[in-house]
Amino acid sequence: MQQFQSLQRLILFYGLTVLVMLALYYFTLFYDIKQHNEEQSVDTFYALQHEITNHTIPVNTEIKTLLEQPSFEDISYQLIFMMPSGQTYIHRHVRSNEPAFATVTFPIILSPFDDKSHSAYTLSNRTLTGTIKLKSGHQVYIILRHKPLAINWISYRYWLPLMTAIIFFMIALIYMLSRRNNWEQLLSYTESLSSHAKEAYSPPPFLHKNSTPEFLYLGHALSRVSYQLHNDYRRIKTLTHRLERLVEQAPLPMLMIMRHGQISFFNQRFEQIFMESSQEDKRYELTDFVAGKDESTQQLLQTLASLRLTRTLIVYGLQNRQTYQLHVTPWFGEHEQIHGFTVLLSNVHEFANQTEQLQLQNQQLQQKLDELNKLRSLTGYQLRIPLEAMIDLLEPIDPSTLTPERHEILKSLIIASQSMLTMLNSTLGIEEVEVRKTRLTIEPIDIYKLGQEINNLVINNARQQGIELIYFFMPDCPRCIDTDDIRLRQILLNLLKNAIKFTTSGHVSLIIDRVTKAQVMEIGRDHVLPFNKNVLVEPSSHWVRFSIEDTGIGISADKQKTLMTSLFQNNQQAHERMEQNTVTTGIGLNNANSFAQLLGGFIELKSTVGKGSIFNLYLPCRKPNYQPIYHQNPQLTNIHLIAIVNQSLVATKIQRLCTYLSVSTTIYTSTDLTVIQSLTEKLAQIRPTLVPIVLLDYEYYETITTPIVIDTSDEHGTEHQNLETINIEYDVVEPTKMAGEASSNRDRQEALNTLLTHPSLPKILFSIKPERRIPSVLLGKYDGFLNKPLDMTLLLSEMLRLTSAARQKLVQPLGHEESSTQLLTIANKLGSVFPNEEAPLPLVLVVEDSPTNQKITCKMLTKLGYRSIVAEDGQQALDCLKSQRDEILLILMDCRMPVMDGLQATQAIRAQGDNIPIVALTANNTQEDREACIQAGMDEFLTKPINKEALVTVLQAFITAS
């Protein structure tokens, strides 16, 4: 019975319960009998009192007669009747089984007398003692004995509960003993489960009619658990075997390191390469075998406990002096605590040697290039002087004084000399600005595209510096102005490169905006007129400002004054001072300002030490063309943009553009739970009328999800030795602020996750990093991705694309009758364009934003015998189609474009009821892209670069059919 202790305890508990219930029952029974006897004594006392008080003057004979009544026969009493004269009579009676009263006592009554009956009594466990005083002066002292407890065990009320309890206890005992057999079978089956592995599920062996359902369920459950445990065990053994073979036989050295830096495991390859003989009792560390290539890498190897991100380092073996690429990855526990690191080493010694040789060759080539540049500058200077002298001598000659033959000779000489000078400047890259304005190439320049191209040239430099590049073109700024493209490009490129070079964190921005002449005059009085009073003679009423802002080291006030003085001086001494100040003010700044003056503008400088600098280039608007970049789209008014950005400058510019386009916005540079709660309430209010969409800055997301650790560096500059590594891995804060910063980041992250998990909310992520470097787990939560600098036209296009389905619920579609009417009108126009004339060549609309692709496609169409017109985005395509619908027979539509992409433009065309053939042009030849194009309403699909034969097939199929 040792193994059935639970049954024993259950039976014992049941027996004790029955005993307690019986005890409570008999105690209650006897207590009720006792209370009944006491109440009977009280009733007898009151009956006697009533009988006595009925006699006005009672006498002893009357008392004696009263006591002889049958109601007093079964009562034990002692009655003392005292007359007013003092004469006393005693009457006694006891039951047969009780002793007689021993003495005559006058009871002492402590209870107060009743005012009406003049009586009182006191109860004890065995007797009732009472006194009755009459008005006549008679007194009666009574002692009544309570009826004794008489237990009649023959009565059912005494034996029936006991017998019932015994019967139920026996039934329970028999039931428990009957279940013992089931327990024995279950325990035996349980012991047999662990003795062998089960290849298949088998039911328990005690399946018979006497087993209760709970035992059957428990047996089935145990069998299933055993079967699953054996499966898991076999799988774990298989995986362990595979892992051991993969790790032990891996061709690369692999090891695991504990949190404190000690090596806990290494494979055979590591032992073969780095260890001559291993000692089991010795504790190794990573620095016992490898060393960093520089001081910062070595410090990181010695302080692995502070590593929070995966790092790839270049190290050297201490014994074989080979170069290795070390890939170290931390692994975390359930509570985000580092448990250790995994390390993988790959031999890159040969590659490192080749790199060093290439670097040495590059240095030698760079020295040769420097010598060649010096020679080129000297040669250019020596060749340019006689050419300019020749031009200066030829241009003043009056052609009217010459014969026609000599006039032609003079004209040829001037043209040839100018061509030679232009070719010389272009070939030698001469950036000197001592040339006249007559030699500038002034033509209409698209400054919006120019800004995009310049940003593309410096984006890699910004990414290498780890800073953000911001580009905004204000909506009220003219898109095209007449200026020199080369000079303007050189100015902006030099200023941007200079800003990126001296900015270690934060951002560098290029903002193109329009300013009035009054504003320029006010700026010029303070900064320009003291040096060059002829700069502001331009008649333009509006100017364009190219603002290059950075968050770099800044320039002190003294150096700013020196710099501005040197910018507007043209002598060689000022130029030498500029060269000496190159480290502080940047390269090419003197030439940039000279170019600005040459173009009729100037450069303004604003700077604060430690906060950054702003270089503003002001140019006059010669023949401005206000071609809209951001088109007013009524569909944008149905969108509510929620932007969470890292830079306040980006927030300001997005807000300004959205205000211009009448787009409802809510922009934050920081979030918390309170902000998200208010935003959620706002979303609930606007959802019936607006479609919300979220734009999140990935760099802001990184700031609130990056762990914070304590800076353990000393105060003698140790923290600067590994500054680059610390900036990449984590933020270093003071220990006193660590808890607050971590708690704040957790609140921000929780608030951001609350917003991002909002149902049916489209989300766009944008970052300075390429899309492939964003974690796939995070990227999968977003519907769109944009690179920095943020292209606002692409942002608007993505907003329209991602909210298309939701906006269709807000906007009613075109009716069937109206669509039929439009189709009939278009058909009539197509049938009556050239009723009596020879039909012209078919016209094809090419919708493409790339100038190169535009030229290639149009040239291919011309060779095939087609006319073509070009639209740079979907909105322009709609405009062209509206004005020339009777001529256009087919559309070649690029899928990804700013302002409005090809899918949105196709949907808009189909929504108007137009069934013109539309052929998609895209570089992504995937089934998903094909389905998206067909679903949008396109008829065919061509990939870039366009195949001539495929294009011919498509044109013949659709234009002939139409």
Short mmCIF file of all heavy atoms in Angstrom, two decimals, residues 283-329:
data_model
loop_
_atom_site.label_atom_id
_atom_site.label_comp_id
_atom_site.label_asym_id
_atom_site.label_seq_id
_atom_site.Cartn_x
_atom_site.Cartn_y
_atom_site.Cartn_z
N ARG A 283 42.01 27.93 -18.98
CA ARG A 283 40.92 28.72 -19.52
C ARG A 283 41.48 29.70 -20.54
O ARG A 283 42.29 30.56 -20.21
CB ARG A 283 40.19 29.48 -18.41
CG ARG A 283 39.52 28.56 -17.39
CD ARG A 283 38.78 29.36 -16.34
NE ARG A 283 38.09 28.48 -15.40
CZ ARG A 283 37.37 28.92 -14.37
NH1 ARG A 283 37.25 30.23 -14.16
NH2 ARG A 283 36.78 28.06 -13.57
N TYR A 284 41.03 29.54 -21.78
CA TYR A 284 41.53 30.37 -22.86
C TYR A 284 40.58 31.53 -23.11
O TYR A 284 39.38 31.47 -22.84
CB TYR A 284 41.67 29.55 -24.15
CG TYR A 284 42.72 28.47 -24.08
CD1 TYR A 284 42.35 27.14 -23.85
CD2 TYR A 284 44.06 28.77 -24.25
CE1 TYR A 284 43.30 26.15 -23.80
CE2 TYR A 284 45.02 27.78 -24.21
CZ TYR A 284 44.64 26.47 -23.97
OH TYR A 284 45.59 25.49 -23.92
N GLU A 285 41.15 32.61 -23.66
CA GLU A 285 40.37 33.75 -24.14
C GLU A 285 40.73 34.00 -25.60
O GLU A 285 41.76 33.51 -26.10
CB GLU A 285 40.64 35.00 -23.30
CG GLU A 285 40.15 34.87 -21.86
CD GLU A 285 40.30 36.17 -21.09
OE1 GLU A 285 40.84 37.15 -21.69
OE2 GLU A 285 39.90 36.22 -19.91
N LEU A 286 39.89 34.77 -26.29
CA LEU A 286 40.10 34.99 -27.71
C LEU A 286 41.42 35.70 -27.98
O LEU A 286 42.10 35.42 -28.97
CB LEU A 286 38.93 35.81 -28.28
CG LEU A 286 38.93 36.07 -29.78
CD1 LEU A 286 38.91 34.76 -30.55
CD2 LEU A 286 37.74 36.94 -30.17
N THR A 287 41.80 36.62 -27.10
CA THR A 287 43.04 37.37 -27.30
C THR A 287 44.28 36.51 -27.09
O THR A 287 45.40 36.99 -27.34
CB THR A 287 43.08 38.57 -26.34
OG1 THR A 287 42.83 38.11 -25.00
CG2 THR A 287 42.01 39.60 -26.72
N ASP A 288 44.14 35.26 -26.63
CA ASP A 288 45.29 34.36 -26.53
C ASP A 288 45.70 33.83 -27.89
O ASP A 288 46.80 33.27 -28.02
CB ASP A 288 44.96 33.18 -25.61
CG ASP A 288 44.73 33.62 -24.18
OD1 ASP A 288 45.28 34.68 -23.80
OD2 ASP A 288 44.00 32.93 -23.45
N PHE A 289 44.84 33.99 -28.91
CA PHE A 289 45.12 33.41 -30.22
C PHE A 289 45.18 34.45 -31.33
O PHE A 289 45.90 34.25 -32.31
CB PHE A 289 44.06 32.37 -30.57
CG PHE A 289 43.90 31.31 -29.53
CD1 PHE A 289 42.85 31.35 -28.63
CD2 PHE A 289 44.81 30.27 -29.43
CE1 PHE A 289 42.70 30.38 -27.66
CE2 PHE A 289 44.67 29.28 -28.48
CZ PHE A 289 43.62 29.34 -27.57
N VAL A 290 44.41 35.55 -31.22
CA VAL A 290 44.38 36.56 -32.28
C VAL A 290 44.56 37.93 -31.67
O VAL A 290 44.35 38.13 -30.47
CB VAL A 290 43.05 36.50 -33.08
CG1 VAL A 290 42.89 35.18 -33.79
CG2 VAL A 290 41.86 36.77 -32.16
N ALA A 291 44.95 38.88 -32.52
CA ALA A 291 45.13 40.28 -32.11
C ALA A 291 44.53 41.17 -33.18
O ALA A 291 44.52 40.82 -34.37
CB ALA A 291 46.60 40.61 -31.90
N GLY A 292 44.00 42.32 -32.77
CA GLY A 292 43.38 43.25 -33.72
C GLY A 292 44.41 43.94 -34.58
O GLY A 292 45.58 44.09 -34.22
N LYS A 293 43.93 44.38 -35.75
CA LYS A 293 44.85 45.04 -36.67
C LYS A 293 45.20 46.44 -36.21
O LYS A 293 46.20 47.02 -36.64
CB LYS A 293 44.23 45.09 -38.07
CG LYS A 293 43.05 46.04 -38.17
CD LYS A 293 42.60 46.23 -39.61
CE LYS A 293 41.48 47.24 -39.71
NZ LYS A 293 41.07 47.50 -41.10
N ASP A 294 44.36 47.03 -35.34
CA ASP A 294 44.65 48.35 -34.81
C ASP A 294 44.23 48.39 -33.34
O ASP A 294 43.71 47.41 -32.79
CB ASP A 294 43.93 49.45 -35.61
CG ASP A 294 42.45 49.16 -35.79
OD1 ASP A 294 41.86 48.52 -34.90
OD2 ASP A 294 41.89 49.58 -36.82
N GLU A 295 44.46 49.53 -32.71
CA GLU A 295 44.21 49.65 -31.28
C GLU A 295 42.72 49.55 -30.96
O GLU A 295 42.34 48.95 -29.95
CB GLU A 295 44.79 50.98 -30.78
CG GLU A 295 44.76 51.12 -29.26
CD GLU A 295 45.46 52.37 -28.79
OE1 GLU A 295 46.03 53.09 -29.65
OE2 GLU A 295 45.43 52.64 -27.58
N SER A 296 41.87 50.15 -31.80
CA SER A 296 40.44 50.11 -31.52
C SER A 296 39.90 48.69 -31.63
O SER A 296 39.07 48.27 -30.81
CB SER A 296 39.69 51.03 -32.50
OG SER A 296 39.89 50.62 -33.84
N THR A 297 40.36 47.92 -32.62
CA THR A 297 39.91 46.53 -32.75
C THR A 297 40.39 45.69 -31.58
O THR A 297 39.66 44.86 -31.04
CB THR A 297 40.43 45.94 -34.07
OG1 THR A 297 40.02 46.76 -35.16
CG2 THR A 297 39.90 44.53 -34.27
N GLN A 298 41.63 45.90 -31.14
CA GLN A 298 42.15 45.17 -30.00
C GLN A 298 41.37 45.48 -28.73
O GLN A 298 41.07 44.59 -27.93
CB GLN A 298 43.65 45.50 -29.81
CG GLN A 298 44.33 44.73 -28.68
CD GLN A 298 44.42 43.25 -28.96
OE1 GLN A 298 44.34 42.82 -30.10
NE2 GLN A 298 44.56 42.45 -27.91
N GLN A 299 40.99 46.74 -28.56
CA GLN A 299 40.21 47.10 -27.38
C GLN A 299 38.83 46.44 -27.42
O GLN A 299 38.31 46.00 -26.39
CB GLN A 299 40.05 48.63 -27.32
CG GLN A 299 39.31 49.10 -26.07
CD GLN A 299 39.17 50.60 -26.03
OE1 GLN A 299 39.60 51.28 -26.95
NE2 GLN A 299 38.58 51.11 -24.97
N LEU A 300 38.25 46.34 -28.61
CA LEU A 300 36.95 45.68 -28.74
C LEU A 300 37.06 44.20 -28.41
O LEU A 300 36.18 43.61 -27.77
CB LEU A 300 36.41 45.87 -30.16
CG LEU A 300 35.05 45.24 -30.46
CD1 LEU A 300 33.98 45.82 -29.55
CD2 LEU A 300 34.68 45.45 -31.91
N LEU A 301 38.15 43.54 -28.83
CA LEU A 301 38.34 42.13 -28.52
C LEU A 301 38.48 41.91 -27.01
O LEU A 301 38.05 40.88 -26.48
CB LEU A 301 39.59 41.59 -29.24
CG LEU A 301 39.51 41.51 -30.77
CD1 LEU A 301 40.84 41.04 -31.32
CD2 LEU A 301 38.38 40.59 -31.22
N GLN A 302 39.06 42.86 -26.32
CA GLN A 302 39.27 42.72 -24.88
C GLN A 302 38.02 43.05 -24.08
O GLN A 302 37.94 42.73 -22.89
CB GLN A 302 40.43 43.60 -24.44
CG GLN A 302 41.78 43.16 -25.00
CD GLN A 302 42.89 44.14 -24.67
OE1 GLN A 302 42.64 45.23 -24.15
NE2 GLN A 302 44.13 43.74 -24.95
N THR A 303 37.05 43.74 -24.70
CA THR A 303 35.81 44.14 -24.00
C THR A 303 34.60 43.62 -24.76
O THR A 303 33.70 44.38 -25.12
CB THR A 303 35.74 45.66 -23.85
OG1 THR A 303 35.80 46.25 -25.16
CG2 THR A 303 36.89 46.18 -23.01
N LEU A 304 34.57 42.32 -25.02
CA LEU A 304 33.44 41.74 -25.75
C LEU A 304 32.14 41.83 -24.97
O LEU A 304 31.05 41.78 -25.55
CB LEU A 304 33.74 40.28 -26.09
CG LEU A 304 34.65 40.02 -27.29
CD1 LEU A 304 34.84 38.52 -27.48
CD2 LEU A 304 34.09 40.64 -28.56
N ALA A 305 32.20 41.94 -23.66
CA ALA A 305 30.97 41.96 -22.86
C ALA A 305 30.08 43.14 -23.21
O ALA A 305 28.87 43.10 -22.99
CB ALA A 305 31.33 41.99 -21.37
N SER A 306 30.67 44.21 -23.75
CA SER A 306 29.88 45.40 -24.10
C SER A 306 29.34 45.35 -25.53
O SER A 306 28.65 46.27 -25.95
CB SER A 306 30.74 46.65 -23.94
OG SER A 306 31.87 46.60 -24.80
N LEU A 307 29.63 44.27 -26.26
CA LEU A 307 29.19 44.18 -27.66
C LEU A 307 27.71 43.83 -27.71
O LEU A 307 27.25 42.89 -27.06
CB LEU A 307 30.01 43.11 -28.38
CG LEU A 307 29.78 42.99 -29.90
CD1 LEU A 307 30.21 44.26 -30.60
CD2 LEU A 307 30.54 41.80 -30.46
N ARG A 308 26.96 44.58 -28.51
CA ARG A 308 25.52 44.35 -28.63
C ARG A 308 25.09 44.02 -30.06
O ARG A 308 23.96 43.63 -30.29
CB ARG A 308 24.74 45.59 -28.16
CG ARG A 308 24.85 45.89 -26.69
CD ARG A 308 24.22 44.76 -25.87
NE ARG A 308 24.19 45.05 -24.46
CZ ARG A 308 25.18 44.81 -23.62
NH1 ARG A 308 26.30 44.26 -24.07
NH2 ARG A 308 25.09 45.09 -22.34
N LEU A 309 25.98 44.21 -31.02
CA LEU A 309 25.63 43.99 -32.41
C LEU A 309 26.66 43.07 -33.06
O LEU A 309 27.79 42.92 -32.58
CB LEU A 309 25.59 45.32 -33.18
CG LEU A 309 24.58 46.37 -32.71
CD1 LEU A 309 24.77 47.66 -33.48
CD2 LEU A 309 23.16 45.87 -32.85
N THR A 310 26.25 42.46 -34.15
CA THR A 310 27.17 41.62 -34.92
C THR A 310 28.24 42.50 -35.56
O THR A 310 27.94 43.52 -36.16
CB THR A 310 26.40 40.85 -36.00
OG1 THR A 310 25.43 40.02 -35.37
CG2 THR A 310 27.35 40.00 -36.83
N ARG A 311 29.51 42.08 -35.42
CA ARG A 311 30.61 42.86 -35.95
C ARG A 311 31.52 41.95 -36.77
O ARG A 311 31.67 40.76 -36.49
CB ARG A 311 31.44 43.50 -34.83
CG ARG A 311 30.70 44.54 -34.02
CD ARG A 311 30.27 45.72 -34.89
NE ARG A 311 31.39 46.29 -35.59
CZ ARG A 311 32.21 47.21 -35.09
NH1 ARG A 311 32.00 47.68 -33.88
NH2 ARG A 311 33.19 47.68 -35.81
N THR A 312 32.12 42.54 -37.79
CA THR A 312 33.12 41.86 -38.61
C THR A 312 34.43 42.63 -38.50
O THR A 312 34.47 43.82 -38.84
CB THR A 312 32.67 41.77 -40.08
OG1 THR A 312 31.44 41.03 -40.14
CG2 THR A 312 33.71 41.06 -40.92
N LEU A 313 35.48 41.98 -38.01
CA LEU A 313 36.74 42.64 -37.72
C LEU A 313 37.87 41.93 -38.46
O LEU A 313 37.77 40.76 -38.84
CB LEU A 313 37.02 42.62 -36.21
CG LEU A 313 35.90 43.15 -35.29
CD1 LEU A 313 36.26 42.88 -33.84
CD2 LEU A 313 35.67 44.63 -35.51
N ILE A 314 38.96 42.66 -38.66
CA ILE A 314 40.17 42.10 -39.25
C ILE A 314 41.18 41.88 -38.13
O ILE A 314 41.53 42.82 -37.41
CB ILE A 314 40.76 43.03 -40.33
CG1 ILE A 314 39.73 43.25 -41.44
CG2 ILE A 314 42.03 42.44 -40.91
CD1 ILE A 314 39.31 41.98 -42.17
N VAL A 315 41.64 40.62 -37.97
CA VAL A 315 42.57 40.27 -36.89
C VAL A 315 43.73 39.47 -37.49
O VAL A 315 43.70 39.05 -38.66
CB VAL A 315 41.85 39.45 -35.80
CG1 VAL A 315 40.75 40.25 -35.15
CG2 VAL A 315 41.29 38.15 -36.38
N TYR A 316 44.76 39.26 -36.63
CA TYR A 316 45.95 38.52 -37.04
C TYR A 316 46.17 37.38 -36.05
O TYR A 316 46.00 37.55 -34.83
CB TYR A 316 47.18 39.44 -37.07
CG TYR A 316 47.08 40.56 -38.07
CD1 TYR A 316 46.68 41.83 -37.69
CD2 TYR A 316 47.39 40.33 -39.42
CE1 TYR A 316 46.58 42.86 -38.61
CE2 TYR A 316 47.29 41.35 -40.34
CZ TYR A 316 46.89 42.61 -39.94
OH TYR A 316 46.78 43.62 -40.87
N GLY A 317 46.56 36.20 -36.56
CA GLY A 317 46.92 35.09 -35.69
C GLY A 317 48.24 35.35 -35.01
O GLY A 317 49.22 35.79 -35.65
N LEU A 318 48.29 35.09 -33.70
CA LEU A 318 49.51 35.38 -32.96
C LEU A 318 50.64 34.41 -33.30
O LEU A 318 51.82 34.77 -33.19
CB LEU A 318 49.22 35.31 -31.45
CG LEU A 318 48.24 36.38 -30.92
CD1 LEU A 318 48.00 36.18 -29.43
CD2 LEU A 318 48.79 37.79 -31.18
N GLN A 319 50.32 33.22 -33.74
CA GLN A 319 51.35 32.23 -34.04
C GLN A 319 51.73 32.21 -35.52
O GLN A 319 52.91 32.30 -35.87
CB GLN A 319 50.89 30.84 -33.60
CG GLN A 319 50.71 30.70 -32.09
CD GLN A 319 50.28 29.30 -31.69
OE1 GLN A 319 50.08 28.44 -32.54
NE2 GLN A 319 50.15 29.08 -30.38
N ASN A 320 50.73 32.10 -36.40
CA ASN A 320 51.05 31.99 -37.82
C ASN A 320 51.10 33.32 -38.55
O ASN A 320 51.40 33.38 -39.74
CB ASN A 320 50.03 31.08 -38.51
CG ASN A 320 48.60 31.55 -38.28
OD1 ASN A 320 48.35 32.68 -37.87
ND2 ASN A 320 47.65 30.66 -38.55
N ARG A 321 50.73 34.42 -37.87
CA ARG A 321 50.78 35.76 -38.44
C ARG A 321 49.96 35.87 -39.72
O ARG A 321 50.25 36.65 -40.62
CB ARG A 321 52.22 36.20 -38.73
CG ARG A 321 53.16 36.15 -37.55
CD ARG A 321 52.63 36.95 -36.38
NE ARG A 321 52.47 38.35 -36.75
CZ ARG A 321 51.87 39.26 -35.99
NH1 ARG A 321 51.37 38.90 -34.81
NH2 ARG A 321 51.75 40.50 -36.40
N GLN A 322 48.88 35.09 -39.80
CA GLN A 322 47.98 35.17 -40.94
C GLN A 322 46.86 36.18 -40.63
O GLN A 322 46.52 36.43 -39.48
CB GLN A 322 47.36 33.79 -41.21
CG GLN A 322 48.36 32.73 -41.64
CD GLN A 322 48.83 32.91 -43.08
OE1 GLN A 322 48.03 33.16 -43.96
NE2 GLN A 322 50.14 32.80 -43.27
N THR A 323 46.31 36.73 -41.70
CA THR A 323 45.23 37.69 -41.56
C THR A 323 43.88 36.96 -41.65
O THR A 323 43.68 36.15 -42.56
CB THR A 323 45.29 38.77 -42.65
OG1 THR A 323 46.59 39.38 -42.62
CG2 THR A 323 44.23 39.83 -42.43
N TYR A 324 42.98 37.25 -40.70
CA TYR A 324 41.68 36.58 -40.65
C TYR A 324 40.58 37.63 -40.55
O TYR A 324 40.77 38.71 -39.97
CB TYR A 324 41.58 35.63 -39.45
CG TYR A 324 42.50 34.45 -39.53
CD1 TYR A 324 43.79 34.50 -39.01
CD2 TYR A 324 42.08 33.27 -40.14
CE1 TYR A 324 44.64 33.42 -39.08
CE2 TYR A 324 42.93 32.18 -40.22
CZ TYR A 324 44.20 32.25 -39.69
OH TYR A 324 45.04 31.17 -39.77
N GLN A 325 39.44 37.25 -41.11
CA GLN A 325 38.23 38.06 -40.95
C GLN A 325 37.40 37.41 -39.84
O GLN A 325 36.94 36.28 -39.97
CB GLN A 325 37.42 38.12 -42.24
CG GLN A 325 36.23 39.07 -42.18
CD GLN A 325 35.45 39.08 -43.47
OE1 GLN A 325 35.03 38.03 -43.94
NE2 GLN A 325 35.27 40.24 -44.05
N LEU A 326 37.23 38.11 -38.74
CA LEU A 326 36.55 37.58 -37.56
C LEU A 326 35.12 38.10 -37.55
O LEU A 326 34.88 39.32 -37.56
CB LEU A 326 37.30 37.99 -36.29
CG LEU A 326 36.76 37.43 -34.97
CD1 LEU A 326 37.93 37.12 -34.03
CD2 LEU A 326 35.83 38.43 -34.28
N HIS A 327 34.17 37.17 -37.52
CA HIS A 327 32.74 37.51 -37.49
C HIS A 327 32.20 37.09 -36.14
O HIS A 327 32.08 35.90 -35.85
CB HIS A 327 32.00 36.79 -38.62
CG HIS A 327 30.58 37.21 -38.76
ND1 HIS A 327 30.20 38.36 -39.42
CD2 HIS A 327 29.43 36.63 -38.35
CE1 HIS A 327 28.89 38.46 -39.40
NE2 HIS A 327 28.39 37.42 -38.75
N VAL A 328 31.90 38.05 -35.27
CA VAL A 328 31.43 37.77 -33.91
C VAL A 328 29.97 38.21 -33.79
O VAL A 328 29.60 39.30 -34.20
CB VAL A 328 32.32 38.46 -32.86
CG1 VAL A 328 32.40 39.96 -33.11
CG2 VAL A 328 31.79 38.19 -31.44
N THR A 329 29.14 37.31 -33.23
CA THR A 329 27.71 37.56 -33.09
C THR A 329 27.29 37.27 -31.66
O THR A 329 27.50 36.16 -31.16
CB THR A 329 26.90 36.67 -34.05
OG1 THR A 329 27.33 36.90 -35.38
CG2 THR A 329 25.40 36.99 -33.94
#
